[in-house]
Amino acid sequence: RLREKVRSYAASSDTVGVFFGEDCFIAIGSILLITGFVNSTYKQHIEPTQLALWAIPLAACAFVVHGARLLLLDRQLEREMALAAAEHDLPLPKETTK
C-alpha cells in the first residue's frame, strides 16, 4: 500500500511539472495551439510570449502547492515507517545530517 502511494505521488509530481512547466516555454505546441485558437476564434492577437509569461506565476503556485503536499507525504511516511518499525521491533534508519 505504501509503495503504491509513493508511486502515485511520483507520477503526480511528473504530471504537475510537465503540465504547468510546459506552458512556460514558447516552442511547445500547446502554447501555439492556444494562441492560434484565441486569435482565430475571438479575433484577438495574443503573442505566444504573452501567454508564456502569464503561465509563470501559475507554474510557481503549482510548484509551491505540490511541494507542500510532498512535504506532508514525507512526514506521513516517516510516521508510518516508525510505526511499522515499532510493531516489528526493527531499528529505525539512521538520519543523515544535511
Side-chain angles (χ1 to χ4, degrees):
R1 191 188 76 170
L2 200 58
R3 185 181 202 178
E4 291 301 317
K5 180 178 261 190
V6 170
R7 285 182 175 181
S8 67
Y9 270 78
S12 69
S13 295
D14 182 55
T15 302
V16 167
V18 170
F19 183 77
F20 290 103
E22 77 177 4
D23 288 342
C24 296
F25 297 104
I26 299 167
I28 299 295
S30 62
I31 292 289
L32 300 175
L33 177 68
I34 292 168
T35 55
F37 178 78
V38 168
N39 291 343
S40 65
T41 304
Y42 299 109
K43 306 297 186 232
Q44 296 180 1
H45 185 69
I46 296 177
E47 290 293 323
T49 52
Q50 291 173 324
L51 195 58
L53 288 175
W54 278 97
I56 291 172
L58 185 61
C61 289
F63 175 75
V64 169
V65 168
H66 198 66
R69 289 184 67 225
L70 292 175
L71 287 174
L72 291 174
L73 173 68
D74 190 42
R75 291 180 184 164
Q76 181 184 9
L77 291 176
E78 283 181 18
R79 283 193 307 268
E80 289 186 24
M81 294 294 284
L83 182 63
E87 286 178 358
H88 300 293
D89 206 23
L90 299 171
L92 289 173
K94 294 181 182 176
E95 292 190 26
T96 59
T97 58
K98 294 180 183 178

